[in-house]
């Protein structure tokens, strides 16, 4: 079976941060057809965990991985090898070999076992779904709080509000007036007084008006009141939809920029 | 580069997030569109000859670009080789859009960004870190600011 190995190797060595790295000794598997016994030599390798992929290199500075273990569906357990601080990556498949790895101490072994146990895509997906649900619930209860008299809802409450598009549609009128995106780190929202649910959206804070912006990474793209009508479904708090929605803004900005470039 | 092909083959047999018969071409000179069974499982896209049990190939979907091309067509390319495109011709524009959506979300990197986003939002709203309950709040990979793309 073919694999896009060049791209995979590139992913292994590129800048994107690794989830865990370190030297481990990897047991060399030698199978003898007449006897079910393994050779007991180990090779020291530099291991890099990215997502559900465990790469290993001959040296830390090596430009290409020697190998890859796709971790999806594996279990990680401590093992009774002759070596101390040994653990194994195993797969369900009956005939599958195990990867026996040896750390240099208790702490590093535990850190690796912890990292590898949680490395699967499925696990991440579960956590994200759970957080998505929690955010939705937090939005709902926040909206419910806002319905009650100002005194009780605003005292001590942080004025950092999520994008109004994330909140249930029926709450929209009350939200729009405080409708600021807090995309990006430390995106703080100016409080501002609001008078009931009928006021139209207050003007956006100065830094977000600039469309030439610093729309890189996680900073906030410019928002106009019209864009507060997001296509995000009122029932779901969905990062990917929000991501796409902001993406449209970026696409428009990029097109604008390219046209400007053409005009020279 | 060695890899555990056996496990990857096993993954290809798992229930897919999405599967369909789509005409596909690989970025090789003279390559034509051929009908394939295309199957998305976690962050891998497997493609099979329609009557075979074992995939011809697998694409890891990290650091890739999913592009909507002309009508019914989308492509997958990888950031270090943007001109080498795997092309997919769907049966309809709708099917095409659905695949583009699904594939854009099919990377571990995307999940990671989502997690960081939700964590941050929840923390701002409730003052609590939702990752505490999972015991993973200290892990570097989930910290804001370490994954600026």
């Amino acid at each position: 079976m073919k694999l896009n190995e060049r791209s995979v190797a590139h992913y292994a060595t590129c800048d994107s941060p690794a989830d865990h790295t370190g030297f481990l000794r990897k047991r060399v598997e030698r199978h003898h057809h007449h006897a079910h016994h393994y050779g007991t030599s180990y090779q020291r390798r530099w291991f890099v965990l990215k997502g559900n992929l465990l790469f290993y290199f001959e040296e830390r500075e090596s430009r290409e991985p020697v190998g890859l273990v796709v971790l999806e569906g594996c279990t990680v357990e401590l093992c009774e090898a002759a070596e101390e601080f040994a653990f194994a990556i195993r797969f369900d498949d009956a005939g599958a070999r195990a990867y026996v790895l040896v750390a240099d101490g208790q702490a590093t072994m535990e850190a690796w076992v912890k990292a590898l146990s949680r490395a699967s895509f499925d696990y991440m997906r579960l956590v994200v779904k759970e957080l998505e649900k929690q955010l939705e619930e937090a939005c709902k209860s926040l909206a419910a709080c806002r319905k009650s008299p100002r005194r009780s809802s605003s005292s001590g409450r942080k004025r950092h509000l999520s994008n109004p598009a994330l909140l249930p549609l029926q709450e929209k009128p009350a939200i729009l007036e405080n409708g600021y995106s807090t995309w990006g780190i430390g995106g703080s929202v100016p409080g501002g007084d609001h008078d009931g649910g009928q006021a139209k959206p207050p003007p956006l804070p100065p830094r977000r008006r600039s469309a030439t912006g610093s729309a890189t990474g996680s900073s906030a793209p410019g928002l106009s009141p019209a864009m507060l009508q997001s296509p995000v479904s009122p029932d779901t708090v969905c990062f990917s939809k929000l991501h796409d929605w902001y993406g449209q803004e970026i696409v428009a900005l990029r097109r604008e920029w390219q046209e400007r470039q053409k005009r020279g | 580069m060695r890899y555990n092909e056996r496990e990857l083959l096993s993954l290809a047999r798992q229930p897919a997030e999405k599967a369909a018969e789509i005409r596909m071409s690989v970025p090789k000179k003279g390559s034509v569109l051929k009908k394939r069974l295309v199957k998305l499982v976690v962050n891998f896209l497997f493609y099979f000859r329609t009557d075979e049990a074992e995939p011809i190939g697998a694409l890891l979907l990290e650091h890739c670009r999913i592009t909507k091309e002309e009508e019914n067509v989308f492509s997958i390319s990888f950031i270090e080789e943007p001109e080498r495109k795997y092309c997919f011709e769907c049966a309809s524009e709708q099917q095409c859009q659905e695949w583009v959506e699904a594939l854009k979300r099919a990377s571990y990197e995307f999940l990671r960004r989502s997690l960081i986003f939700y964590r941050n939002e929840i923390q701002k709203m409730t003052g609590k870190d939702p990752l505490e309950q999972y015991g993973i709040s200290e892990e570097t990979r989930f910290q804001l600011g370490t994954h600026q793309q």
Side-chain angles (χ1 to χ4, degrees), chain A residues 25-28 40-44 81-83 86 100-102:
Chain A
R25 287 158 63 225
K26 179 173 163 292
R27 188 172 75 185
V28 178
T40 49
S41 69
Y42 293 81
Q43 286 173 329
R44 190 173 184 257
E83 302 280 326
V100 175
L101 302 171
V102 178

Side-chain angles (χ1 to χ4, degrees), chain A residues 151-211:
Chain A
R151 222 155 295 213
S152 55
S153 67
S154 60
S155 57
R157 183 175 288 283
K158 286 190 191 161
R159 303 294 255 167
H160 299 272
L161 299 172
S162 286
N163 188 289
L166 294 175
L167 297 163
L169 186 57
Q170 59 271 26
E171 309 300 336
K172 222 172 181 181
I175 305 318
L176 276 178
E177 66 211 20
N178 288 319
Y180 300 119
S181 155
T182 53
W183 183 272
I185 300 153
S188 64
V189 176
D193 282 338
H194 58 94
D195 47 350
Q198 279 69 43
K200 63 178 184 128
L204 293 162
R207 70 182 172 94
R208 288 196 181 85
R209 263 195 212 116
S210 135

Side-chain angles (χ1 to χ4, degrees), chain A residues 79-211:
Chain A
C79 77
E80 287 295 320
E83 302 280 326
E84 236 190 331
F85 314 127
F87 58 97
I89 299 172
R90 288 183 208 282
F91 295 89
D92 257 349
D93 196 358
R97 51 161 289 182
Y99 292 84
V100 175
L101 302 171
V102 178
D104 56 20
Q106 184 70 18
T108 44
M109 181 192 69
E110 285 179 5
W112 270 107
V113 171
K114 192 172 169 192
L116 293 168
S117 313
R118 295 188 173 116
S120 73
F121 189 95
D122 270 345
Y123 174 78
M124 269 298 257
R125 192 163 37 192
L126 221 82
V127 175
V128 170
K129 272 206 176 84
E130 177 58 35
L131 291 198
E132 202 176 337
K133 210 170 60 178
Q134 281 187 29
L135 182 58
E136 198 174 334
E137 277 160 24
C139 288
K140 284 196 180 120
S141 59
L142 181 65
C145 271
R146 214 178 284 122
K147 278 180 158 168
S148 54
R150 283 209 54 186
R151 222 155 295 213
S152 55
S153 67
S154 60
S155 57
R157 183 175 288 283
K158 286 190 191 161
R159 303 294 255 167
H160 299 272
L161 299 172
S162 286
N163 188 289
L166 294 175
L167 297 163
L169 186 57
Q170 59 271 26
E171 309 300 336
K172 222 172 181 181
I175 305 318
L176 276 178
E177 66 211 20
N178 288 319
Y180 300 119
S181 155
T182 53
W183 183 272
I185 300 153
S188 64
V189 176
D193 282 338
H194 58 94
D195 47 350
Q198 279 69 43
K200 63 178 184 128
L204 293 162
R207 70 182 172 94
R208 288 196 181 85
R209 263 195 212 116
S210 135

Side-chain angles (χ1 to χ4, degrees), chain B residues 77-143:
Chain B
S77 60
F78 298 90
I79 56 173
E80 81 284 357
E81 290 179 312
E83 295 318 306
R84 290 188 82 240
K85 294 187 173 187
Y86 292 80
C87 292
F88 299 81
E89 187 186 82
C90 301
S92 70
E93 187 56 30
Q94 185 189 353
Q95 187 188 44
C96 186
Q97 292 290 358
E98 286 173 11
W99 274 93
V100 169
E101 282 303 299
L103 290 168
K104 280 183 172 165
R105 277 174 262 165
S107 71
Y108 197 98
E109 297 297 323
F110 178 85
L111 279 186
R112 201 206 303 276
R113 289 200 298 276
S114 306
L115 186 145
I116 291 172
F117 172 79
Y118 286 131
R119 180 192 192 186
N120 186 43
E121 292 298 303
I122 293 170
Q123 212 152 8
K124 284 192 295 206
M125 281 201 143
T126 66
K128 292 203 207 88
D129 177 3
L131 293 191
E132 298 250 339
Q133 65 189 277
Y134 296 99
I136 54 178
S137 51
E138 295 315 307
E139 289 183 16
T140 343
R141 57 181 160 147
F142 300 134
Q143 303 314 312

Side-chain angles (χ1 to χ4, degrees), chain A residues 24-86:
Chain A
L24 291 169
R25 287 158 63 225
K26 179 173 163 292
R27 188 172 75 185
V28 178
E29 309 299 334
R30 263 189 278 272
H31 298 260
H32 295 263
H33 51 263
H34 59 278
H36 196 60
H37 95 271
Y38 298 102
T40 49
S41 69
Y42 293 81
Q43 286 173 329
R44 190 173 184 257
R45 295 280 179 255
W46 174 252
F47 281 80
V48 174
L49 173 66
K50 281 192 181 179
N52 56 353
L53 305 170
L54 182 64
F55 297 97
Y56 50 99
F57 299 75
E58 192 161 334
E59 301 289 340
R60 188 170 179 165
E61 307 78 30
S62 301
R63 290 153 120 257
E64 247 184 50
V66 169
L68 158 67
V69 184
V70 177
L71 297 170
E72 206 65 28
C74 77
T75 52
V76 186
E77 20 183 271
L78 304 179
C79 77
E80 287 295 320
E83 302 280 326
E84 236 190 331
F85 314 127

